[in-house]
Amino acid sequence: MIESLVLMATAATAIVLEAAPFLLLGSLIGSLIEVLVPERTLLRVIPRSGVGQVATGIFAGMLLPTCECGIVPVVRRLLLKNVPPRVAIPYMMAAPVVNPVVLGSTLFAFQGDLTVVGLRVLLVIIPAAALGFALGNAGPRSVLRQRPIDLKRFGEAEAELVASHDAHEWGGGCGCDHGAQGAGGKARAVLFHTAAEFISMGRFLVFGAVVAAGFKAFLPPSVLGLFADNPLLAVGGLMLLAIALSICSEADAFVAASFASFPVSAKVAFMAIGPMVDLKLIPLFLTVFNRRVALALIVVPVVTVYVMAAVLAVGGG
């Protein structure tokens, strides 16, 4: 029991240390967008058609690669800049996989197998596109969860920081005159928003890391063996494992490749679902987005990836 608890603590610490830099990077990118990129500039480069918007979101990760550990704050900032959900949500789902770094790591982990890379991308872009089209013409801020923060839960300094941050987000004014600031003022504004975003989301990262580490520490290895011989159970088993382990998309291909006894369909499902839904992302979804959108962000990828991977498994893949 003591050994399991030590393993759990070690794994939780490792997840946080692995993910925190990406969350910080995501918060920084989101803050740079907030302070330096005018809303009209973003909106000018977005296509008018629904298909064009979804496609832009799906493939934007090739130009702005972001790990799933930091994607949520970036997308929240894009939505607050009135970027259509048909762009922002597909970007959030697809960018952690459809980017040069992850595609390269997947190709390397599977020894140059382009089929595996192609299947991974396919299993990600289909649910990403489905979510984008399902949102239709929803307003950018209508998909976000608008609830006040209980300042009693924070220290005095944190309370002031987060209160000002939320006032800025929901139109109350943060006192940061972005347009009139010089270089020094803009730099301070970037640091301000980065800190507020990181504080707001970091606690949910820690929570998800602890839960994921608990699965890793207390799930017997023999349980995985029960799933390997049945293709449909193998797909479901590795998907559940991907959700529980919460491995960053830059590294998950190497973990998937290590499951030598599992079929390719199960390995691809593992690599597809993890960057879209895992135990560190679920609390962020439920915190940032309204309940219906958050549930869709969880359910649609899980169902879609399982069905597609199961079809591949039945076909002998």
Side-chain angles (χ1 to χ4, degrees):
M1 182 67 178
I2 299 298
E3 290 182 358
S4 296
L5 290 174
V6 171
L7 177 60
M8 178 179 172
T10 302
T13 303
I15 291 173
V16 171
L17 291 177
E18 179 186 51
F22 293 101
L23 181 61
L24 181 60
L25 178 61
S27 299
L28 176 60
I29 292 172
S31 299
L32 289 170
I33 292 171
E34 168 66 25
V35 176
L36 302 179
V37 182
E39 180 179 316
R40 61 182 179 273
T41 301
L42 281 174
L43 298 180
R44 190 162 52 236
V45 300
I46 295 173
R48 293 183 178 272
S49 70
V51 173
Q53 290 179 354
V54 171
T56 297
I58 288 174
F59 294 105
M62 297 300 292
L63 298 176
L64 187 62
T66 308
C67 174
E68 73 273 13
C69 302
I71 193 71
V72 176
V74 173
V75 168
R76 180 161 74 167
R77 285 294 174 188
L78 291 174
L79 290 168
L80 290 169
K81 285 282 189 179
N82 286 319
V83 172
R86 278 190 297 205
V87 175
I89 299 302
Y91 170 70
M92 183 173 68
M93 294 286 105
V97 169
V98 186
N99 73 69
V101 176
V102 172
L103 295 180
S105 68
T106 305
L107 191 66
F108 184 80
F110 284 86
Q111 301 178 352
D113 192 335
L114 288 172
T115 300
V116 172
V117 177
L119 288 172
R120 182 180 192 182
V121 171
L122 182 66
L123 264 64
V124 166
I125 64 175
I126 289 180
L131 285 165
F133 286 120
L135 289 169
N137 294 316
R141 299 196 181 201
S142 69
V143 303
L144 295 172
R145 183 177 183 181
Q146 302 184 36
R147 65 178 178 84
I149 290 179
D150 182 5
L151 299 183
K152 294 180 182 179
R153 297 170 57 193
F154 293 84
E156 183 177 345
E158 280 187 344
E160 183 179 352
L161 177 66
V162 176
S164 300
H165 167 63
D166 273 17
H168 177 273
E169 285 188 347
W170 302 115
C174 66
C176 304
D177 185 9
H178 297 161
Q181 295 180 104
K186 289 183 178 181
R188 286 193 298 273
V190 168
L191 294 176
F192 171 88
H193 289 296
T194 300
E197 199 81 56
F198 188 75
I199 290 171
S200 178
M201 301 222 173
R203 51 199 169 131
F204 299 101
L205 169 63
V206 173
F207 171 77
V210 171
V211 176
F215 275 93
K216 185 173 184 178
F218 294 101
L219 184 67
S222 58
V223 173
L224 288 179
L226 299 176
F227 289 86
D229 295 332
N230 184 311
L232 297 181
L233 288 179
V235 169
L238 284 194
M239 285 180 64
L240 287 174
L241 190 64
I243 293 170
L245 294 181
S246 304
I247 303 169
C248 283
S249 56
E250 285 89 349
D252 62 358
F254 299 94
V255 177
S258 70
F259 296 120
S261 60
F262 282 76
V264 171
S265 55
K267 298 176 185 178
V268 171
F270 176 92
M271 295 185 292
I273 196 60
M276 292 191 287
V277 180
D278 64 27
L279 289 183
K280 66 179 181 294
L281 285 172
I282 290 172
L284 295 178
F285 289 160
L286 294 172
T287 302
V288 171
F289 299 97
N290 71 51
R291 189 171 298 276
R292 292 179 62 184
V293 172
L295 290 176
L297 292 174
I298 297 166
V299 173
V300 171
V302 170
V303 173
T304 306
V305 170
Y306 180 79
V307 170
M308 290 191 295
V311 170
L312 181 64
V314 171

